[in-house]
Amino acid sequence: MINSSTMLKPPWLESLLSTSFFTICPRHNDSPRNESNMYCLDCMSGAFCFYCRSSRHKDHPVIQIRRSSYHDVVRVAEIQKVLDISEVQTYVINSARVLFLNERPQPKGPVGKGVSHLCEICGRSLLDPFRFCSLGCKLEGIKKNGEASFVLSNKNEEEIPQEREGMQRRLPTMEKEELREGRQQDMMYRSTPPPTHSNSRRRKGIPQRAPFVT
């Protein structure tokens, strides 16, 4: 008997969310672009690198995974073509709109005052009135009550570019991070430098010398 939650998600999703990315591709150890940061939706055979895509998955639907603050993210422009990502909080990092694959560790301390939006699964604070913080939490929500779906409808496919443009938000200051594709050891946190202010002040005027009187 087919579980009702199975009908609300694609067969490759759980495999994608449980895959470890950014390891060195065993087939291309000595190549410069050998990080396993791609996933094939047809083969569902784990992460692979740039060279594997060219040789083994050339004509397959492939998703590229990126990282922010050591957490796996995917660009909305890519994932929304194959998944209904409605009700999942998105963020803008370096002008790229992304969402997180899985739940992230909770910040230490109590939830800040004024926080009105929380993920229904993990309780993480959200910036906008969404239900979930990540694809993983939305999947758990579907398994619990079946009140959401990852399956694209005709309406979703037509309205993808405009659906949530007004809901874009940048990450809070403590989480601002470059969207990276490089090695994990290069994913160092970079804070936004404070604006520089000049201490020099413009003189209001040039003092005039009194006329010389003879």
Side-chain angles (χ1 to χ4, degrees):
M1 183 177 178
I2 299 177
N3 191 305
S4 60
S5 65
T6 304
M7 306 292 293
L8 303 175
K9 61 181 176 60
W12 47 263
L13 181 59
E14 289 188 90
S15 175
L16 169 68
L17 297 180
S18 62
T19 297
S20 296
F21 294 96
F22 295 95
T23 58
I24 301 302
C25 177
R27 296 188 182 93
H28 302 96
N29 280 323
D30 300 324
S31 302
R33 300 177 65 180
N34 59 2
E35 288 181 314
S36 299
N37 64 346
M38 298 187 182
Y39 185 88
C40 179
L41 308 186
D42 280 354
C43 301
M44 299 185 287
S45 55
F48 54 89
C49 74
F50 168 81
Y51 303 102
C52 290
R53 177 177 187 174
S54 302
S55 60
R56 296 169 177 266
H57 308 274
K58 184 177 180 181
D59 299 318
H60 297 179
V62 171
I63 295 293
Q64 182 174 356
I65 305 303
R66 294 168 169 83
R67 277 203 164 178
S68 173
S69 301
Y70 294 93
H71 299 291
D72 295 337
V73 301
V74 62
R75 285 185 174 176
V76 168
E78 291 185 57
I79 197 67
Q80 68 181 358
K81 296 175 183 178
V82 293
L83 281 183
D84 179 355
I85 59 170
S86 61
E87 302 180 300
V88 180
Q89 176 75 63
T90 63
Y91 301 92
V92 177
I93 306 175
N94 284 7
S95 301
R97 189 155 63 112
V98 303
L99 51 76
F100 288 89
L101 294 191
N102 291 295
E103 172 188 346
R104 291 170 288 159
Q106 296 284 1
K108 294 182 179 180
V111 177
K113 293 182 179 179
V115 175
S116 56
H117 311 302
L118 299 175
C119 175
E120 292 181 7
I121 303 302
C122 69
R124 186 178 185 87
S125 60
L126 305 177
L127 301 178
D128 296 304
F130 292 104
R131 296 177 60 191
F132 309 106
C133 69
S134 63
L135 294 179
C137 282
K138 180 172 179 177
L139 178 61
E140 289 301 313
I142 291 174
K143 289 179 177 180
K144 280 188 173 183
N145 51 43
E147 293 180 357
S149 173
F150 281 113
V151 179
L152 284 171
S153 64
N154 292 333
K155 177 178 178 294
N156 293 135
E157 293 173 353
E158 292 171 0
E159 298 183 359
I160 277 172
Q162 300 88 13
E163 186 176 20
R164 294 193 298 172
E165 289 300 317
M167 304 303 289
Q168 296 181 16
R169 291 289 186 273
R170 292 192 176 274
L171 284 172
T173 303
M174 293 299 291
E175 295 185 20
K176 280 189 178 178
E177 164 77 19
E178 277 195 45
L179 185 60
R180 301 291 195 93
E181 301 173 19
R183 300 185 174 218
Q184 180 169 346
Q185 55 264 39
D186 295 332
M187 308 293 159
M188 299 302 292
Y189 172 82
R190 291 189 177 186
S191 59
T192 304
T196 56
H197 300 283
S198 174
N199 291 326
S200 60
R201 294 185 178 180
R202 188 176 177 181
R203 299 180 67 179
K204 294 182 178 179
I206 302 175
Q208 299 296 323
R209 181 173 296 186
F212 183 72
V213 180
T214 56

